[in-house]
Amino acid sequence: GTTDRDYLQMAARKSDRADLLEGLHFTPAGGASQIPLSVMLTQATSELPIVVLRDHDDEGRKARDNLVKNVGLIPKRIVSVSEVIRDNHDAEIEDAWPAPLLEEFVEQFGEDSVLSEKKNLGKRWHIGLNKVGKELIVDWLDENASADDCGTLVKLLIQLRERGGIE
């Protein structure tokens, strides 16, 4: 979605790695269920390689299966957030930010105001942002995140480039 795009662009900028954005074009689909339609429309209008970024959750897995089975996208072109988080739990792109940074955000605005879910996954907490949280977090991270906080997102950008065959 747009938040995913904003996180990746911010990570590249804060890490002084604008080169990672060269050759990438982000088209937010508006949710996992919309990804197949977005891919089909892009395939019809562009010859550029398509790489899909998806959350590692039930909706993301359904989108992956639909993309492979019904749209004909090769699995190599579908990148899951879990590929850089690697802890065998469901993961959304917010999980790529360091937990203390997210905790600070939640503490500042209040769980009831910004969260739709909060799960203890043992080694880490997973938070799901509601609409208000998604609206607030990008500007907040832009003010509060450091280059060091962006490392996992930079890895995700590198993965997207590699899967798309972008040198």
Side-chain angles (χ1 to χ4, degrees):
T2 56
T3 311
D4 298 17
R5 176 202 60 210
D6 293 345
Y7 291 161
L8 292 168
Q9 290 175 337
M10 182 189 316
R13 188 182 75 251
K14 285 184 171 283
S15 301
D16 201 23
R17 292 296 313 269
D19 60 297
L20 293 175
L21 297 174
E22 291 173 15
L24 290 179
H25 177 78
F26 297 97
T27 305
S33 64
Q34 299 300 312
I35 292 172
L37 176 60
S38 180
V39 168
M40 288 188 292
L41 290 171
T42 303
Q43 285 174 327
T45 59
S46 175
E47 305 241 344
L48 296 173
I50 296 171
V51 180
V52 172
L53 174 62
R54 68 172 185 88
D55 289 338
H56 187 69
D57 57 12
D58 288 339
E59 286 186 34
R61 285 185 283 275
K62 286 178 194 170
R64 175 203 59 212
D65 294 345
N66 192 352
L67 286 165
V68 172
K69 186 185 218 179
N70 300 320
V71 180
L73 197 64
I74 58 173
K76 167 187 162 180
R77 296 290 172 104
I78 304 168
V79 177
S80 169
V81 170
S82 68
E83 294 178 35
V84 295
I85 294 175
R86 300 180 194 267
D87 70 359
N88 297 321
H89 292 286
D90 284 358
E92 298 176 28
I93 197 163
E94 282 79 18
D95 296 310
W97 293 106
L101 186 65
L102 294 176
E103 290 166 12
E104 187 179 334
F105 169 76
V106 171
E107 188 175 303
Q108 182 173 338
F109 291 99
E111 286 186 19
D112 293 339
S113 299
V114 296
L115 295 185
S116 60
E117 66 176 331
K118 182 177 179 182
K119 294 182 202 169
N120 185 342
L121 302 177
K123 293 191 312 185
R124 68 175 172 88
W125 282 89
H126 163 77
I127 64 163
L129 296 175
N130 61 23
K131 185 177 181 189
V132 171
K134 292 257 185 189
E135 290 171 359
L136 293 172
I137 196 165
V138 174
D139 288 338
W140 188 89
L141 286 168
D142 202 26
E143 292 176 18
N144 294 281
S146 69
D148 289 342
D149 295 325
C150 299
T152 303
L153 290 158
V154 168
K155 289 178 187 174
L156 197 52
L157 278 166
I158 292 167
Q159 186 81 318
L160 290 168
R161 294 180 65 78
E162 288 174 356
R163 295 288 192 80
I166 301 169
E167 305 276 329

